[in-house]
């Protein structure tokens, strides 16, 4: 049982939460509240890590007392090459947002995109527009069964490679460009997984607009949603669901 002072003992199971500004996120505080309320001798420690220090920090976890770490969205690609083992989803998407120390090795997996998928189902979302082809787009496409998905990207060639790689049959592919107006009002949700610097071409958004950016990251989708007076939800907007899933994963 964790004591009232939240002190760490030799038996305490330690996890990290790694991000550029991990200490300002509510993630660790919510997780530790869950551990304490369930009498778990477990603690998650926010770790503010600069990009230059990420490889050193994560690789050294192999010989540390830390049992694993949750990875903030800005680093989910960078940790993949440090892993010794990973789930099939990590291998296919090229991202990892939770890792576990097993002996002196690290095993990686994904939980956040599963949470996003379940959240959209809870919201009764069916028709989704995905912008971009990055690692989040790849991971989500692996869980897109049951959704009616249309794919948008500034390069159709990249989109074709993406759909072939992810084995998406009869994909609805669309080019998005600054000089062509786009209307997403027929969709239930828009997910931005792109690196576009502007979404000014969007004239109308869906009922719900989401990305996996935390509140400290710049979100071009958030800016456009504000301009169009549309609903936008960030990673932090459903952080309670992310922490609940992370709690279950760590407790396994």
């Amino acid at each position: 049982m964790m004591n009232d002072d939240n002190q760490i003992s030799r038996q305490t199971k330690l996890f990290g939460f790694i991000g550029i500004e991990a200490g300002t996120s509510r993630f660790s505080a919510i997780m530790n509240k869950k551990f304490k309320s369930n009498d778990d001798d477990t603690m998650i420690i926010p770790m503010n890590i600069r990009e230059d220090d990420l490889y050193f920090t994560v690789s050294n976890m192999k010989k540390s007392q830390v049992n694993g770490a949750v990875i903030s969205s800005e680093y989910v690609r960078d940790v993949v090459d440090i892993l010794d083992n990973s789930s099939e989803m990590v291998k296919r998407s090229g991202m990892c947002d939770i890792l576990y120390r097993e002996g002196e090795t690290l095993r990686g997996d994904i939980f956040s995109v599963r949470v996003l998928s379940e959240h959209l189902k809870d919201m009764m979302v069916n028709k989704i527009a995905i912008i971009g082809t990055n690692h989040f787009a790849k991971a989500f496409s692996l869980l897109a069964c049951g959704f009616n998905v249309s794919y948008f990207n500034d390069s159709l060639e990249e989109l074709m490679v993406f759909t072939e790689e992810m084995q998406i049959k009869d994909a609805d592919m669309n080019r998005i460009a600054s000089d062509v107006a786009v209307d997403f009002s027929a969709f239930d949700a828009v997910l931005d997984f792109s690196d576009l610097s502007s979404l000014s071409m969007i004239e109308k958004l869906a009922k719900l607009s989401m990305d996996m950016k935390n509140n400290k990251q710049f979100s071009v989708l958030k800016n456009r949603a504000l301009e169009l007076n549309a609903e936008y939800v960030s990673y932090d907007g459903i952080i309670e669901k992310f922490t609940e899933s992370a709690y279950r994963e760590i407790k396994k």
Side-chain angles (χ1 to χ4, degrees):
M1 179 187 298
M2 185 178 293
N3 60 45
D4 291 337
D5 295 326
N6 293 332
Q7 293 180 352
I8 298 172
S9 70
R10 290 181 180 273
Q11 290 73 41
T12 303
K13 190 176 183 181
L14 298 177
F15 274 78
F17 174 56
I18 296 176
I20 293 176
E21 297 188 58
T24 65
S25 172
R26 295 188 297 129
F27 191 94
S28 298
I30 296 172
M31 289 290 290
N32 286 328
K33 185 177 180 180
K34 290 180 184 293
F35 292 136
K36 188 170 183 177
S37 65
N38 288 285
D39 290 333
D40 299 319
D41 192 7
T42 305
M43 182 176 287
I44 189 162
I45 304 169
M47 303 169 67
N48 293 345
I49 305 298
R50 298 180 306 175
E51 186 174 356
D52 291 345
D53 297 327
L54 181 67
Y55 184 89
F56 176 82
T57 301
V58 176
S59 60
N60 278 348
M61 288 177 60
K62 298 178 183 182
K63 296 185 177 181
S64 74
Q65 297 303 308
V66 177
N67 295 85
V70 175
I71 310 300
S72 187
S73 58
E74 65 268 26
Y75 285 149
V76 293
R77 285 185 300 174
D78 302 305
V79 300
V80 173
D81 291 337
I82 313 174
L83 301 173
D84 300 287
N85 302 291
S86 56
S87 68
E88 191 63 26
M89 195 170 176
V90 170
K91 293 175 183 177
R92 293 193 64 186
S93 66
M95 66 168 279
C96 163
D97 57 24
I98 190 166
L99 55 86
Y100 308 88
R101 180 180 60 80
E102 297 177 339
E104 293 189 2
T105 66
L106 297 177
R107 174 177 59 85
D109 207 344
I110 296 172
F111 78 96
S112 64
V113 182
R114 299 182 192 277
V115 175
L116 175 62
S117 176
E118 290 303 315
H119 174 70
L120 293 172
K121 290 176 182 177
D122 290 344
M123 297 292 290
M124 305 300 291
V125 166
N126 174 44
K127 195 172 182 182
I128 300 174
I130 291 181
I131 307 172
T133 60
N134 74 1
H135 45 287
F136 279 114
K138 290 178 180 179
F140 187 84
S141 71
L142 296 171
L143 300 172
C145 181
F147 295 118
N148 181 1
V149 181
S150 297
Y151 297 89
F152 294 78
N153 196 51
D154 54 345
S155 168
L156 278 178
E157 290 183 358
E158 286 184 8
L159 202 50
M160 290 177 68
V161 171
F162 168 85
T163 54
E164 289 176 6
E165 181 182 353
M166 305 315 297
Q167 300 178 343
I168 304 169
K169 295 182 179 180
D170 303 319
D172 179 18
M173 295 183 288
N174 306 270
R175 181 171 179 266
I176 189 169
S178 59
D179 58 345
V180 180
V182 181
D183 183 348
F184 284 134
S185 60
F187 292 89
D188 299 318
V190 172
L191 305 179
D192 181 27
F193 299 139
S194 74
D195 57 1
L196 294 173
S197 59
S198 173
L199 292 175
S200 60
M201 75 289 290
I202 300 177
E203 292 190 336
K204 293 182 180 180
L205 278 165
K207 298 175 184 177
L208 177 63
S209 298
M210 298 187 69
D211 57 25
M212 295 296 280
K213 302 288 182 66
N214 61 54
N215 288 343
K216 293 293 183 178
Q217 292 175 284
F218 173 74
S219 169
V220 65
L221 180 63
K222 177 181 179 180
N223 279 10
R224 192 57 180 150
L226 288 172
E227 292 168 350
L228 297 175
N229 195 30
E231 182 181 359
Y232 163 80
V233 178
S234 68
Y235 181 100
D236 289 310
I238 55 171
I239 197 168
E240 292 283 355
K241 291 188 175 183
F242 288 121
T243 54
E244 183 61 36
S245 178
Y247 176 81
R248 291 196 302 269
E249 293 295 319
I250 289 173
K251 285 288 291 179
K252 283 182 179 179

